Amino acid sequence: MHLYPELKNRVALVTGASSGIGSAAARILAASGTRVAVNYFHNAVGASETVAAAEELGGAAAAFQADVSKSEGCRALIDAVEQRFGPIEILINNAGSLIERKRLLELTEDYWDRALDLNLKSAYLCTQAVVASMIRHRQGVIVNLVSIAARTGGGSGSGHYSAAKAGLIAFSKNTAKELAPQGIRVNCVSPGFIDTPFHERFSREEIKKALVASIPMGRAGQPEEVASVIAFLCSDAAPYICGETIEVDGGMLML
């Protein structure tokens, strides 16, 4: 685990941090001394485990329950984090889910709206809520978690999810252009097939085997391998990276 001492005592909010990549991101930031707000919606046990692991690694951490797909939940979350730790300097928009695989003729308006709210609207709401403080301080980092599905269109029954993630790439580029003059960097990290609860829930074993077979490195990625790129983008090692989408997929896409 590569650590970044310059992140010590900075305040980071990681949404959807009770498991998988979000949890790994919270832990690596905490290991660098960051004060980490661990957001969760339903998985209180996972959030508590993430907080405990983060504290063992040397960072201050606390769990915050909120539905970040709703403006009132997002605003209450930001207020609670700022009261506990101070102004948010690092925002990791990680909350997201496929919700359920639905082919086009099965896809209802409700599922479409839920997918876009959770995977795209939540990032807009959280970004808007923290950016005024970042502008005042003329510094800040925002990392949005997208997906290889945003580039490929995704697998069967994931059109709603893929569309939301593609939209998030475009939103990230636009906010990067707008905020860069204010000292704020916005970037995306795009995971490929990562060994997380996401694929345990949404991908059958034969699909997982086919995915691994399509990866030049011949294996699934680990959440920590994505988290290390997130931490890099948050650090002083990435001062001139802005508006980019970094693929972390073992060579699966190779744009």
Side-chain angles (χ1 to χ4, degrees), residues 49-70:
E49 291 173 348
T50 299
V51 168
E55 290 177 336
E56 287 180 8
L57 291 166
F64 297 84
Q65 192 279 337
D67 179 359
V68 292
S69 71
K70 307 295 184 184

Side-chain angles (χ1 to χ4, degrees), residues 154-201:
S156 175
S158 66
H160 48 312
Y161 175 79
S162 304
K165 292 300 188 180
L168 184 51
I169 292 178
F171 176 71
S172 301
K173 290 181 177 180
N174 183 267
T175 51
K177 292 176 183 178
E178 180 177 337
L179 299 175
Q182 313 298 324
I184 301 163
R185 292 186 296 106
V186 182
N187 290 288
C188 293
V189 172
S190 180
F193 178 46
I194 309 299
D195 187 12
T196 67
F198 180 99
H199 285 289
E200 292 175 11
R201 178 179 177 186

Side-chain angles (χ1 to χ4, degrees), residues 8 64 93 142 150 153 158 177 214 218-219 232 255:
K8 186 174 183 179
F64 297 84
N93 283 312
I142 300 170
S158 66
K177 292 176 183 178
S214 72
R219 64 174 178 84
F232 162 72
L255 282 175

